[in-house]
Amino acid sequence: MSDRGNRLGRLLSWDAAVVLVTVVVLIVASGAVENFGTSRNFTFLLLDLLPIALVALPMTFIIVTGEIDLSVASTLGLTSAVMGSLWDAGLTIEAIIPLCIVLGAVLGALNGFFVTVLKLPSLAVTIGTLALYRGLAFVVLGDGAVADFPRAYTSWVTGTIGDGPIPNVLIPLIVVALIFGIVLHATPIGRGVFAAGAGEQAARFAGIRTGRLKFWLYVVSGAVAGLAGVLWTLRYSSARADNGFGLELAVVAAVLLGGVSIFGGKGTLPGVLAGVVLLASLQNALRLQDVSNEALNIVTGVLLIVSVLLPNIVTSARTAVRRRRQAVTPER
């Protein structure tokens, strides 16, 4: 009975379920959706999931601590607008890229200051900065767009490795994901992140400086969103104030879909990456079916609700299995 219960527990693993659903979606979409399984579309799919995956990495840390950052898409948009403005002013792209990443870090630090120093709720703070940063983006660039970025950079971002379908930018993404994964799951920093999410007061008693930890997580989140803004701009060769609009919902949906608890303290980075692939695959398949952006937002919203609801159902099922095992285990 013990072995059977263990197998059932593994079967009920949220990460495993997300991976299984992702594989099923990819197989079904390849057979049912025209052009989904082509190498060209595979390249577009990977390019589409890049900003979601990139921003989801630090977002995972933040949500595991029990906080949230809804300003990431607006940070992306503001850095894109600043990038266009600086390029229009004559700065070199080599100078602009680090400046945009630093700008993102500063914007993230502002969020961290409000949340960790002023002790304001992260949900309210980042909703406010979501509007603030997006508004500043329109102040910087207006409704127009700046294009004509260096072809060497835009070609690299949109190009692939050799003649294959793997985009060049996927390689650094994998490296960054490995670094984030090691930090979260194999270092004292990661243990502090989980401890802060499981119980902040207990974490403080254990000597973890949760305020400082959360502050730097917001700084990293902002810097990564700034990098995502640079890559977004170079991919489309267009700096616009509305770049990345609505991306925050896709990022949060992917993180929660990947098994991270909205209440903090639980989650894995591999599960999040599986959630990113699942969400991006569904969006890609629906776009190939000429589904409107409004309908895509509905799908994202539904997945967001499901990702919050289903873990509670899975937890209840696993608890029931555990109780059943205890009930049939003979006393010694």
Side-chain angles (χ1 to χ4, degrees):
M1 180 62 187
S2 177
D3 290 341
R4 192 189 318 171
N6 289 335
R7 286 196 298 271
L8 185 54
R10 288 192 294 269
L11 183 63
L12 292 174
S13 168
W14 183 263
D15 291 2
V18 173
V19 172
L20 179 61
V21 172
T22 302
V23 172
V24 170
V25 168
L26 290 172
I27 293 173
V28 172
S30 296
V33 179
E34 186 178 0
N35 295 324
F36 181 87
T38 63
S39 60
R40 181 178 178 81
N41 185 65
F42 184 68
T43 301
F44 286 137
L45 171 60
L46 293 176
L47 287 172
D48 288 342
L49 68 79
L50 171 69
I52 301 175
L54 192 59
V55 178
L57 295 174
M59 182 71 80
T60 300
F61 283 65
I62 290 175
I63 295 181
V64 168
T65 65
E67 306 292 350
I68 199 166
D69 184 0
L70 295 178
S71 69
V72 286
S74 296
T75 300
L76 185 158
L78 179 52
T79 54
S80 178
V82 170
M83 184 176 179
S85 179
L86 293 177
W87 176 250
D88 207 31
L91 269 70
T92 64
I93 196 70
E94 292 79 11
I96 292 172
I97 291 175
L99 285 175
C100 287
I101 295 173
V102 170
L103 172 61
V106 171
L107 299 177
L110 183 60
N111 285 333
F113 173 80
F114 285 133
V115 172
T116 63
V117 178
L118 300 185
K119 307 297 183 183
L120 299 177
S122 59
L123 179 63
V125 166
T126 57
I127 287 177
T129 52
L130 177 154
L132 172 63
Y133 297 164
R134 186 66 69 179
L136 288 174
F138 280 98
V139 169
V140 169
L141 203 58
D143 294 328
V146 175
D148 299 325
F149 291 97
R151 185 170 179 80
Y153 285 86
T154 58
S155 297
W156 184 84
V157 171
T158 58
T160 60
I161 300 173
D163 295 327
I166 306 298
N168 295 320
V169 289
L170 186 64
I171 303 303
L173 172 62
I174 292 173
V175 173
V176 173
L178 286 173
I179 294 172
F180 273 85
I182 292 171
V183 171
L184 182 61
H185 296 293
T187 69
I189 295 175
R191 290 191 288 273
V193 168
F194 282 105
E200 186 167 358
Q201 188 172 5
R204 287 175 181 167
F205 286 147
I208 299 170
R209 301 179 66 176
T210 57
R212 185 174 69 174
L213 175 63
K214 291 181 180 181
F215 174 83
W216 285 108
L217 290 180
Y218 277 104
V219 173
V220 172
S221 179
V224 171
L227 174 60
V230 170
L231 294 175
W232 187 295
T233 303
L234 292 176
R235 178 190 173 184
Y236 297 103
S237 193
S238 177
R240 295 179 55 90
D242 60 354
N243 277 350
F245 186 81
L247 184 72
E248 66 281 344
L249 291 181
V251 171
V252 173
V255 172
L256 299 185
L257 196 61
V260 176
S261 172
I262 190 64
F263 304 107
K266 297 179 181 178
T268 68
L269 211 54
V272 169
L273 294 176
V276 169
V277 175
L278 175 57
L279 180 64
S281 300
L282 286 172
Q283 290 181 337
N284 181 270
L286 292 173
R287 286 195 184 99
L288 290 175
Q289 297 289 86
D290 293 325
V291 173
S292 65
N293 288 330
E294 290 75 14
L296 288 177
N297 289 335
I298 293 174
V299 172
T300 302
V302 170
L303 289 176
L304 190 55
I305 294 172
V306 168
S307 62
V308 174
L309 179 63
L310 277 186
N312 293 327
I313 298 175
V314 171
T315 300
S316 299
R318 298 175 74 173
T319 302
V321 169
R322 190 179 303 113
R323 289 176 177 174
R324 182 182 175 186
R325 287 174 54 194
Q326 292 173 349
V328 300
T329 300
E331 296 184 359
R332 296 184 178 180

